[in-house]
């Protein structure tokens, strides 16, 4: 095990050699730069070059920052109300989280990336792993083409890291963002073993993908300070001390692909819809309305993945920072697995309703669905044909909202009502320019 270097490690090369060697199939990670801020800038070019931050639910904390905001030393997760006055004086522009816009632009990017590969894993809202084949030069050229296409067709700036494993691709992606000479694309296959060692020595072990802060401290105690130290560590010893997951990190740093792409995204094992309110709710009718909206949205997500749920949990909670804090929670099983929003709402109200109290200030309500099975596995055949077919409320809702928008139609208390007082506060939200007709961007020709 090596000791910590007494001087900063040698800087990694800024540009790759001129004649890259041939390589095996590569893994690339395509990562949108400052994703939330970049989404905001697409339909508001005036934000380019300005310090911009995006806020969390109810305009609470900073969850995304432009490079200009980072240069002003604005920290992640800092409460906006605590810095708003000073930040505004510095020219910082704040935006509420525009989940509809971000989700749609992410989906468009995923579809575009699928044109360049047959193997793709959507890792997060702003990151995808894809598999590319060819020589280092060919793969790098494809990555540059992808970068150009995403910027031109969607408007998002992306960086691409390429290597023979996911862990190395993440390290390469780091380089693609920090070395301007690489122009947003870093292919580790273009570097010699000596150059790679120099790069790895410049990266602290805690910055390696898959190594958490606690594990990093334990590794440092063993004399493993850098990515190079971890790559060269005894894999058997690492497995005995930390388990098979960390051993895979060691092997991935050596270039072995131990984490294959999850090309087919498995259905979620849990669907949850939960939000904090902009103002507390103290009336039972409003709580019933919240449950109606949330069960409908959870059921819609369930139908989207073609599943039925056997178990549902629902809860309502007051503020945990107050002395009389209380949480009412229930779990209930359906007689038969279902995706029917009417059945779910009635069950939630019957189980949770009697516990709700009008003299309390509720700040959060949640609904979650569990124990899924495929919808087609529960198809039944009515031999005698005596029972009329049940009204498929969920299917009707899906058809209407798919054509006219998510807020077009709802059931009962969760139906056609806008400006609910309890909805999440987003005072600084930008237009949902790609998902709502009445918020489309206006283009002016000169």
């Amino acid at each position: 095990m090596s000791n910590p270097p007494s001087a900063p490690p040698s800087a990694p090369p800024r540009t790759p050699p001129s004649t890259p060697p041939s390589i095996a199939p590569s893994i690339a990670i395509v990562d949108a730069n400052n994703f939330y801020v970049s989404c905001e800038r697409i339909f508001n070019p005036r934000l380019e070059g300005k310090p911009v931050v995006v806020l969390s639910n109810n305009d609470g904390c900073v969850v995304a920052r432009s490079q200009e905001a980072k240069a002003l030393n604005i920290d992640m997760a800092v409460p906006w109300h605590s810095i708003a006055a000073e930040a505004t004086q510095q020219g910082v522009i704040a935006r509420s989280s525009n989940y509809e816009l971000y989700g749609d632009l992410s989906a468009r990017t995923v579809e575009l990336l699928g044109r360049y590969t047959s193997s793709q894993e959507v890792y997060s809202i702003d990151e995808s792993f894809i598999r590319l084949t060819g020589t280092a030069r060919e793969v790098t050229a494809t990555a540059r083409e992808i970068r150009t296409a995403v910027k031109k067709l969607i408007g998002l700036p992306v960086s691409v890291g390429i290597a023979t494993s996911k862990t190395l691709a993440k390290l390469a992606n780091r380089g693609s963002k920090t070395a301007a000479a690489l122009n947003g694309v870093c292919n580790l296959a273009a570097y010699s073993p000596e150059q790679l060692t120099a790069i790895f020595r410049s990266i602290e072990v805690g910055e390696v993908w898959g190594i958490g802060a606690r594990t990093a401290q334990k590794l440092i105690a063993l004399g493993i300070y850098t990515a190079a130290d971890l790559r060269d560590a005894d894999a058997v010893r690492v497995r005995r001390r930390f388990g098979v997951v960390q051993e895979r990190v060691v092997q991935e740093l050596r270039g072995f692909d131990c984490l294959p792409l999850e090309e087919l995204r498995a259905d979620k094992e849990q669907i949850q819809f939960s939000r904090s309110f902009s103002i507390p709710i103290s009336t039972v009718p409003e709580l019933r309305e919240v449950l109606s909206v949330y069960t409908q949205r959870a059921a819609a997500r369930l139908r989207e993945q073609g599943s039925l749920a056997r178990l549902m949990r629902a809860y309502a909670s007051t503020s945990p920072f107050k002395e009389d804090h209380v949480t009412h929670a229930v779990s209930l099983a359906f007689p038969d697995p279902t995706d029917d929003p009417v059945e779910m709402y009635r069950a939630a109200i019957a189980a949770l309703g009697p516990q709700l109290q009008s003299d309390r200030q509720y700040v959060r309500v949640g609904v979650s669905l569990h124990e899924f099975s495929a919808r087609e596995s529960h198809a039944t055949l009515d031999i005698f044909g005596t029972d009329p077919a049940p009204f498929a409320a969920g299917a009707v809702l899906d058809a209407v909202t798919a054509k006219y928008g998510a807020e077009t139609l709802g059931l009962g208390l969760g139906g056609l009502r806008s400006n609910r007082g309890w909805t999440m506060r987003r005072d600084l939200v930008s237009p949902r320019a790609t998902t709502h007709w009445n918020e489309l961007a206006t283009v002016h020709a000169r």
Side-chain angles (χ1 to χ4, degrees):
M1 304 294 178
S2 64
N3 294 321
S6 57
S10 58
R14 292 184 176 274
T15 56
S18 58
T19 56
S22 297
I23 59 170
S26 301
I27 294 175
I29 182 167
V30 182
D31 179 15
N33 303 335
N34 300 320
F35 178 65
Y36 287 0
V37 172
S38 295
C39 290
E40 296 288 342
R41 285 173 167 169
I42 290 176
F43 295 99
N44 189 355
R46 296 188 184 95
L47 298 179
E48 291 288 349
K50 304 285 183 64
V52 180
V53 298
V54 176
L55 308 178
S56 63
N57 293 349
N58 294 316
D59 294 341
C61 301
V62 173
V63 295
R65 306 161 295 167
S66 67
Q67 290 300 125
E68 296 81 3
K70 295 175 183 178
L72 294 175
N73 297 319
I74 295 178
D75 296 327
M76 283 287 286
V78 63
W80 175 243
H81 70 83
S82 68
I83 66 168
E86 180 181 357
T88 302
Q89 289 181 350
Q90 293 177 308
V92 177
I93 301 170
R95 288 287 182 264
S96 303
S97 293
N98 191 337
Y99 299 114
E100 298 90 340
L101 178 66
Y102 308 154
D104 183 63
L105 293 177
S106 174
R108 291 169 185 246
T109 303
V110 168
E111 189 278 331
L112 179 57
L113 294 179
R115 304 177 191 179
Y116 293 88
T117 181
S118 60
S119 300
Q120 178 178 9
E121 176 188 338
V122 180
Y123 181 65
S124 67
I125 192 172
D126 61 343
E127 294 178 291
S128 285
F129 288 103
I130 61 175
R131 192 175 297 281
L132 301 174
T133 57
T135 66
R137 187 185 301 278
E138 292 168 341
V139 168
T140 300
T142 300
R144 296 198 185 285
E145 183 180 343
I146 289 173
R147 191 167 184 266
T148 300
V150 175
K151 181 63 175 178
K152 178 180 179 180
L153 300 179
I154 299 177
L156 290 173
V158 299
S159 298
V160 186
I162 309 166
T164 56
S165 70
K166 284 184 177 179
T167 303
L168 289 179
K170 290 285 284 188
L171 291 183
N173 186 245
R174 170 192 175 98
S176 70
K177 293 183 175 182
T178 57
L182 295 177
N183 195 27
V185 175
C186 178
N187 189 346
L188 292 187
Y191 298 103
S192 68
E194 293 76 18
Q195 289 173 322
L196 289 177
T197 295
I199 293 173
F200 291 176
R201 283 175 179 167
S202 70
I203 300 172
E204 296 181 2
V205 69
E207 297 174 348
V208 175
W209 185 52
I211 302 296
R214 293 184 179 179
T215 301
Q217 291 301 316
K218 294 177 181 178
L219 289 169
I220 290 173
L222 296 176
I224 301 175
Y225 300 94
T226 68
D229 294 335
L230 184 58
R231 179 198 62 184
D232 299 334
D234 185 334
V236 175
R237 182 186 180 191
V238 170
R239 178 171 183 168
R240 289 174 179 172
R241 181 69 174 80
F242 301 99
V244 67
V245 173
Q246 304 307 331
E247 181 196 15
R248 288 174 182 163
V249 175
V250 174
Q251 299 294 352
E252 287 250 324
L253 287 173
R254 295 174 180 175
F256 297 105
D257 183 10
C258 302
L259 301 170
L261 299 187
E262 297 178 8
E263 300 175 23
L264 297 177
R265 301 184 66 185
D267 290 342
K268 297 179 179 179
E269 297 180 358
Q270 171 182 315
I271 290 175
Q272 179 167 316
F273 205 98
S274 176
R275 294 289 188 274
S276 296
F277 306 136
S278 58
I279 57 175
I281 291 180
S282 58
T283 68
V284 173
E286 281 188 298
L287 290 170
R288 287 174 174 264
E289 180 181 2
V290 176
L291 281 173
S292 176
V293 173
Y294 286 7
T295 51
Q296 289 183 53
R297 294 181 180 176
R301 293 181 182 176
L302 185 69
R303 293 191 301 274
E304 184 179 359
Q305 73 174 39
S307 299
L308 304 177
R310 181 176 293 276
L311 181 67
M312 179 172 72
R313 295 189 176 94
Y315 74 89
S317 176
T318 62
S319 173
F321 302 106
K322 295 189 176 181
E323 295 182 358
D324 59 348
H325 168 63
V326 64
T327 296
H328 308 304
V330 296
S331 296
L332 49 107
F334 300 108
D336 295 301
T338 183
D339 62 4
D340 182 5
V342 176
E343 182 178 3
M344 291 179 179
Y345 168 68
R346 288 174 176 171
I349 288 299
L352 187 61
Q355 299 184 36
L356 302 177
Q357 304 171 30
S358 292
D359 59 343
R360 294 190 177 275
Q361 299 284 318
Y362 294 93
V363 299
R364 194 174 186 88
V365 167
V367 173
S368 60
L369 305 176
H370 309 262
E371 295 189 11
F372 298 158
S373 55
R375 183 188 295 119
E376 59 268 19
S377 67
H378 290 273
T380 58
L381 176 64
D382 183 4
I383 299 176
F384 301 103
T386 56
D387 295 329
F391 174 60
V396 173
L397 286 174
D398 293 342
V400 173
T401 56
K403 185 173 183 179
Y404 298 105
E407 299 178 0
T408 304
L409 183 64
L411 297 172
L413 294 172
L416 300 175
R417 174 184 171 183
S418 59
N419 299 322
R420 299 180 176 94
W422 49 265
T423 52
M424 180 174 61
R425 186 175 71 250
R426 295 195 291 179
D427 297 335
L428 305 171
V429 69
S430 55
R432 297 163 292 185
T434 64
T435 58
H436 287 64
W437 284 106
N438 60 341
E439 297 181 25
L440 290 177
T442 302
V443 179
H444 301 275
R446 292 183 179 180

